């Protein structure tokens, strides 16, 4: 009964979404305030209905209702409760429902937190979100109904893919989807601006915190996925340039460009068209990512069972959304205007360079991701584009971005002078060069690429500090240094924190890439292996019983300089419900390095108590990669909470009125 | 006049950067693309020499053997028509199993075996890598219909 209620709520929500996607938009166009007023209640109703529907599916999982096909396929009565709940998004249908849930929550939040916006604007934003929601609800209802019944009911579920039975599944998809779907809000704001023809500083100020929120979630979601792959897949890598990773990285790159271009639109009124185009692109890439992942055209860890109808539906939806928004853009963009002029060297031109480079980076990723599909579709063979391609292209494109990141904050709006900037940053260059020369030598080997990475990271941190100090000096006006430092605008503090996060990330990537060490080796009980000064002694393997698996658990002693540090217990698990073994690595994490042990397989399958193939890793600074991402998100969060985004209606209204006359 | 010069400088700079990037991308693509080649095509001598490529197929039952060092593995990849012996040093992925699909990247050695730098098996026991599936399908089609796969499935060496 409950699954039927959930299904019914989903149908109702599709109808509500259709109303939300039509009446308010028409109302805003024809000035019918009664129709405009539909927007907020409809968005709320849509969110409530989808939440109810989602709760119904969760209930089916928790209660082990194997008469629902989706539950029978993705759960099992032995599955621990947290994975039964997370199992809701462990497959195609449920993860789509999660997508929709996130979308309706974003719409609900916009409805609640937009009291200071003009009603027509709110109606257009929510209407656009309603249309997107309608498309996805239709997709679920027509091709991927999670509530479909199984008659007769299965006695036992097929179980969740063991790879997904991990805390990562509980956190990674919701975060990532919040980010993906969050760009729909930036998109909706852009469409609303095109529809109304009002694209001004006030508009940029409204959409900035929303874009920032989506970007924060996406950053955390991607970082979480990377960390999960690192400890769970047992390969010790943190990024594989897997097409699905790329699918989430492309909106991130464009989203990052969008944040910066929105800053220019807000402060200077420039880049208007460009900002709108980026907002459309960011969301289009989110949709493209969904298409790539869900249609099954990709070979990937993320590929679920496929159904060609789904691929075609998303493809049509993708074409409709991108096509109609670009058409609207083409029709309206000339009216929007270009905004303020700026000099060849100025904050604007530097940010423009940043934007162009980020877009180029995204284009290269897109090319590398789609090229194999294109070649395959043309029938000229199957190819794969591997990590070396991305690395070869990415480093040269990212290097100037990282360099300019240090320069940008020193440049004045409109017209900046190069000698002035050079004078301000010269010490940062000295610090960077020192770090680049000395630090690699301390680690034993000096490589040009290592030095470059460290140079850029140190450069970013040093310029951020210099810039911060300079600004505090200029704004002191008699107050103490600390008091002035604490009263800096949050956008400014957030920006530097996020940039430092990038530097921390670069240190992690550089160090782990340059100095990691790994060994694959055969070990008999009692034997030991050394990696980078860490001494691992293998004491053998014993059988351990988990809630729904049995595992061979390795027993290792980790020692440094002859002193015992800790036990390490990697596992090789065999889940009852599937024939699939799972490697659980054991990681000793630290501020400056991780050491990592995982079990391969017994050399003789019939003698698990004997010799094993074992992999040991030394990963210097690897946690800085995710630490950097957390800092970036934190910076974003601080910037998002800036006072000026909470200006009330009285302050916002005259600005947009003034811009209308202009 | 001055603004025109500025514009020209901007456009020139942008074009130069685009050119550099395009060159980078093409170069990187050129040297980092791995073609998929089926065991049948490898046996027919269509594999690139000295360049990495990928093979796909099934791990032949009973073919997996370990060297004395314990981490070098030898196995046979088959598309049911032709076999290739693959050497790989390292830990195999969890889902590597005899009789299941596999994709390996590496180079041909002078001895006519395939030296793999990477072995991929995907993360679902029922999932078959499309490249492996295609190799097997093609081989079986060729066996049934006596149509040479080279007329259709031959990868063009256009790089």
């Amino acid at each position: 009964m409950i699954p039927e209620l959930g299904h019914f709520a989903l149908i109702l929500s599709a109808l509500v979404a259709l109303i939300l996607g039509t009446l308010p938009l028409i109302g805003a166009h024809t000035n019918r305030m009664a129709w405009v007023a539909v927007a907020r209640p409809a968005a709320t109703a849509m969110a409530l209905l989808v939440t109810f529907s989602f709760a119904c599916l969760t209930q089916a999982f928790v209660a082990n209702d194997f008469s629902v096909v989706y539950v029978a396929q993705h759960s099992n009565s032995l599955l621990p409760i947290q994975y039964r709940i997370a199992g809701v998004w462990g497959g195609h249908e449920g993860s789509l429902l999660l997508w929709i849930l996130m979308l309706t929550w974003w719409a609900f939040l916009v409805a609640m937190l937009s009291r200071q916006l003009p009603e027509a604007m709110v109606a257009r934003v929510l209407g656009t979100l309603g249309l997107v929601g309608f498309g996805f609800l239709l997709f679920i209802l027509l091709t991927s109904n999670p509530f479909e019944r199984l008659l007769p009911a299965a006695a036992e579920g097929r179980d969740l893919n063991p790879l997904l039975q991990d805390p990562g599944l509980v956190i990674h998809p919701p975060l990532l989807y919040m980010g993906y779907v969050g760009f729909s809000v930036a998109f909706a704001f852009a469409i609303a601006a095109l529809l109304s023809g009002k694209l001004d500083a006030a508009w940029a100020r409204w959409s900035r915190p929303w874009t920032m929120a989506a970007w924060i979630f996406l950053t955390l979601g991607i970082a979480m996925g990377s960390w999960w792959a690192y400890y769970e897949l047992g390969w010790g890598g943190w990024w594989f340039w897997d097409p699905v990773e790329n699918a989430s990285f492309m909106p991130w790159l464009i989203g990052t460009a969008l944040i910066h271009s929105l800053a220019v639109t807000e402060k200077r009124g420039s880049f208007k068209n460009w900002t709108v185009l980026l907002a459309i692109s960011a969301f289009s890439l989110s949709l493209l990512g969904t298409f790539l992942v869900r249609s099954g055209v990709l070979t990937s860890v993320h590929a679920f069972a496929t159904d060609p109808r789904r691929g075609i539906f998303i493809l049509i939806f993708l074409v409709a959304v991108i096509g109609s928004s670009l058409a609207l853009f083409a029709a309206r963009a000339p009216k929007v205007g270009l905004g303020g002029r700026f000099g060849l060297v100025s904050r604007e031109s530097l940010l423009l360079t940043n934007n162009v480079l980020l877009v180029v980076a995204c284009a290269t990723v897109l090319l590398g991701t789609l090229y194999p599909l294109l070649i395959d579709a043309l029938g000229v063979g199957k190819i794969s584009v591997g990590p070396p391609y991305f690395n070869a292209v990415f480093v040269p494109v990212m290097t100037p971005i990282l360099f300019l990141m240090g320069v940008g904050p020193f440049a004045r709006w409109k017209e900046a002078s190069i000698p002035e900037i050079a004078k301000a940053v010269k010490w940062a260059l000295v610090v960077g060069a020192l770090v680049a020369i000395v630090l690699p030598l301390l680690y034993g080997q000096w490589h040009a690429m290592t030095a470059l990475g460290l140079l850029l990271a140190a450069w970013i941190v040093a310029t951020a500090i210099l810039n911060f100090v300079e600004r505090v000096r200029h704004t002191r006006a008699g107050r103490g240094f600390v008091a002035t430092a604490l009263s800096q605008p949050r956008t400014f503090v957030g920006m530097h924190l996020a940039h430092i996060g990038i530097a921390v990330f670069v240190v992690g990537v550089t160090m782990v890439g340059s100095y990691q060490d790994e060994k694959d080796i055969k070990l008999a009980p009692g034997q030991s292996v050394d990696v980078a000064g860490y001494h691992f002694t293998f004491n053998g393997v014993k059988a351990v019983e988990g809630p729904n698996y049995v595992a061979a658990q390795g027993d290792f002693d980790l020692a440094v300089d002859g002193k015992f540090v800790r036990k390490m217990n990697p596992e090789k698990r065999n889940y009852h419900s599937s024939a699939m073994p799972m490697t659980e690595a054991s990681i000793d994490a630290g501020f400056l390095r991780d050491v990592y042990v995982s079990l391969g397989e017994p050399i003789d399958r019939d003698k698990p108590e004997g010799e094993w193939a074992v992999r040991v890793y030394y990963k210097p600074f690897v946690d800085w990669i995710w630490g950097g991402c957390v800092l970036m998100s934190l910076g974003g969060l601080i910037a998002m909470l800036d006072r000026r985004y909470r200006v009330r209606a009285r302050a916002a209204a005259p600005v947009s009125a003034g811009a209308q006359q202009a | 006049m001055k603004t025109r010069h500025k514009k020209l400088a901007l456009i020139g700079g942008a074009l130069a950067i685009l050119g550099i990037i395009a060159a980078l991308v093409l170069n990187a693509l050129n040297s980092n693309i791995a073609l998929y080649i089926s065991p049948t095509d490898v046996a027919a001598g269509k594999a690139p020499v000295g360049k990495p490529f990928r093979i796909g197929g099934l791990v032949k039952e009973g073919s997996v053997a370990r060297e004395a060092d314990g981490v070098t593995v030898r196995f046979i990849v088959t598309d049911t028509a032709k076999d290739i012996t693959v050497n790989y040093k390292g830990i195999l992925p969890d889902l590597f199993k005899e009789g299941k699909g596999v994709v390996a990247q590496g180079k041909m050695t002078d001895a006519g075996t395939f030296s793999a730098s990477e072995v991929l098996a995907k993360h679902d026991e029922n999932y078959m890598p499309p490249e492996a599936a295609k190799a097997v399908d093609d081989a079986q089609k060729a066996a049934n219909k006596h149509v040479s796969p080279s007329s259709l499935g031959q990868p063009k060496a256009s790089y």
Side-chain angles (χ1 to χ4, degrees), chain A residues 158 161-163 232-233 235 242 296 298-301 303-304 341-344 352-353 356-357 360 364 367-368 371 376 379-390 392-393 396-397 415 520-522 572 577-583 598-605 613-615, chain B residues 2-3 5-7 9-10 17-18 21 24-37 54 64 66-71 73 88-98 103 105 118-132 134 152-156 158:
Chain A
R158 253 188 59 189
N161 184 332
L163 194 69
E232 181 70 21
L233 294 180
W235 302 330
D242 175 292
L298 291 178
T299 312
S300 154
V301 236
F304 295 125
R341 296 187 155 274
F342 53 87
L344 198 55
L352 184 63
T353 316
V356 169
L357 288 170
V360 166
T364 59
L367 181 70
Y371 193 60
D376 192 19
V380 283
K382 278 183 175 286
I383 60 160
S384 95
V385 175
Y389 160 77
F390 294 101
V393 173
V397 177
E415 193 78 62
D520 290 346
I521 190 173
K522 174 180 76 171
K572 194 79 176 183
S577 51
S578 89
M580 187 172 155
M582 268 299 308
T583 306
S598 59
L599 287 175
E601 45 193 350
I603 300 300
D604 183 347
R605 274 176 200 282
V614 171
R615 174 174 286 183
Chain B
K2 206 188 158 211
T3 38
H5 281 175
K6 247 192 227 170
K7 259 187 195 161
L10 265 178
I17 290 171
L18 273 182
I21 290 166
L24 260 171
V25 167
L26 288 179
N27 182 40
L29 262 185
N30 226 347
S31 47
N32 291 304
I33 283 179
L35 276 169
Y36 281 101
I37 298 181
R54 285 187 166 197
V64 181
R66 277 178 189 282
E67 306 270 307
D69 72 350
V71 286
V73 190
Y88 175 67
K89 185 174 189 313
I91 305 251
L92 291 164
D94 283 338
L95 286 183
F96 179 88
K97 246 189 207 158
E98 293 185 353
V103 167
Q105 178 157 347
E118 204 180 354
V119 172
L120 309 161
K122 292 298 172 179
H123 279 260
D124 181 328
E125 74 244 52
N126 301 314
Y127 183 71
M128 178 85 145
E131 297 75 24
K134 186 173 186 302
L152 273 173
Q154 180 185 9
K156 288 199 181 90
S158 57

Side-chain angles (χ1 to χ4, degrees), chain B residues 32-107:
Chain B
N32 291 304
I33 283 179
L35 276 169
Y36 281 101
I37 298 181
S38 71
T40 299
D41 284 345
V42 174
K46 286 176 188 157
V49 180
K51 238 180 126 95
F53 62 95
R54 285 187 166 197
I55 53 166
L58 302 170
V59 182
K60 197 169 189 173
E61 299 273 0
S63 74
V64 181
R66 277 178 189 282
E67 306 270 307
D69 72 350
V71 286
T72 305
V73 190
R74 200 171 56 243
F75 55 90
I76 292 174
V77 171
T78 176
D79 59 4
T80 67
K82 295 282 187 209
D83 295 352
I84 298 185
T85 303
V86 177
N87 283 303
Y88 175 67
K89 185 174 189 313
I91 305 251
L92 291 164
D94 283 338
L95 286 183
F96 179 88
K97 246 189 207 158
E98 293 185 353
K100 297 280 181 187
V102 72
V103 167
Q105 178 157 347
K107 288 180 187 173

Side-chain angles (χ1 to χ4, degrees), chain A residues 95-426:
Chain A
S95 59
L96 260 183
L97 191 59
L98 182 68
W99 211 101
I100 283 285
L101 183 73
M102 299 294 180
L103 181 75
T104 60
W105 282 2
W106 278 108
F108 175 70
L109 281 175
V110 172
M112 288 297 108
L113 301 174
S114 59
R115 301 276 172 219
Q116 77 275 27
L117 265 62
E119 285 300 308
M121 182 77 171
V122 176
R124 289 191 173 111
V125 171
L126 290 178
T128 310
L129 289 174
L131 280 179
V132 174
F134 179 67
F136 268 88
L137 282 163
L138 214 56
F139 179 44
I140 289 196
L141 289 170
L142 294 181
T143 72
S144 328
N145 177 13
F147 296 106
E148 206 171 303
R149 289 284 194 174
L150 181 65
L151 286 173
E156 183 55 281
R158 253 188 59 189
D159 203 5
L160 188 63
N161 184 332
L163 194 69
L164 300 180
Q165 295 184 28
D166 182 271
L169 175 72
V170 183
I171 316 165
H172 165 60
L175 278 178
L176 194 67
Y177 280 24
M178 275 305 271
Y180 256 175
V181 183
F183 282 126
S184 66
V185 179
F187 169 79
F189 268 98
I191 295 296
L194 286 176
L195 285 173
S196 67
K198 260 185 277 173
L199 214 163
D200 47 35
W203 170 84
R205 190 156 61 236
W206 295 326
S207 52
R208 263 184 98 178
W210 294 101
T211 312
M212 191 60 92
W215 181 87
I216 293 168
F217 279 114
L218 192 60
T219 308
L220 286 176
I222 295 174
M224 183 65 219
S226 153
W227 186 50
W228 186 12
Y230 168 75
Y231 72 74
E232 181 70 21
L233 294 180
W235 302 330
W238 57 276
W239 192 260
F240 302 94
W241 295 108
D242 175 292
V244 176
E245 291 175 336
N246 296 347
S248 69
F249 190 43
M250 289 186 282
W252 188 89
L253 287 168
I254 297 296
T256 309
L258 176 60
I259 295 173
H260 291 88
S261 123
L262 269 172
V264 182
T265 309
E266 187 200 341
K267 290 267 173 74
R268 301 279 315 149
S270 312
F271 294 8
K272 290 177 181 173
N273 283 335
W274 177 245
T275 304
V276 168
L277 199 57
L278 283 179
I280 293 174
S281 312
F283 184 58
S284 302
L285 285 168
S286 294
L287 289 181
L288 180 73
T290 315
F291 164 70
L292 290 177
V293 180
R294 293 286 162 263
S295 62
V297 291
L298 291 178
T299 312
S300 154
V301 236
H302 295 74
F304 295 125
T306 54
D307 173 350
R309 273 188 312 163
R310 291 174 183 165
I312 289 169
F313 189 103
I314 307 188
L315 196 59
I316 293 172
F317 187 60
L318 193 69
V319 170
V321 170
I322 299 178
S324 58
S325 48
L326 286 183
L328 183 65
F329 178 77
R332 291 303 184 101
K335 283 189 196 156
V336 167
L338 289 167
R341 296 187 155 274
F342 53 87
L344 198 55
V345 181
S346 60
R347 177 81 68 93
E348 288 96 324
S349 70
L350 287 174
L351 282 169
L352 184 63
T353 316
N354 141 306
N355 266 237
V356 169
L357 288 170
L358 282 170
V359 170
V360 166
C362 176
T364 59
V365 177
L366 188 66
L367 181 70
T369 311
L370 294 185
Y371 193 60
L373 298 179
L374 188 73
I375 295 292
D376 192 19
L378 293 177
V380 283
K382 278 183 175 286
I383 60 160
S384 95
V385 175
Y389 160 77
F390 294 101
N391 295 338
V393 173
F394 233 65
V395 173
V397 177
M398 279 297 150
T399 304
I401 295 188
L402 296 177
F403 174 73
L404 291 179
M405 202 184 283
V407 179
F410 287 94
R412 291 174 198 282
W413 293 108
K414 228 171 160 184
E415 193 78 62
S417 106
I418 293 178
E420 209 174 283
I421 297 174
K423 207 178 133 200
V425 300
K426 64 176 184 246

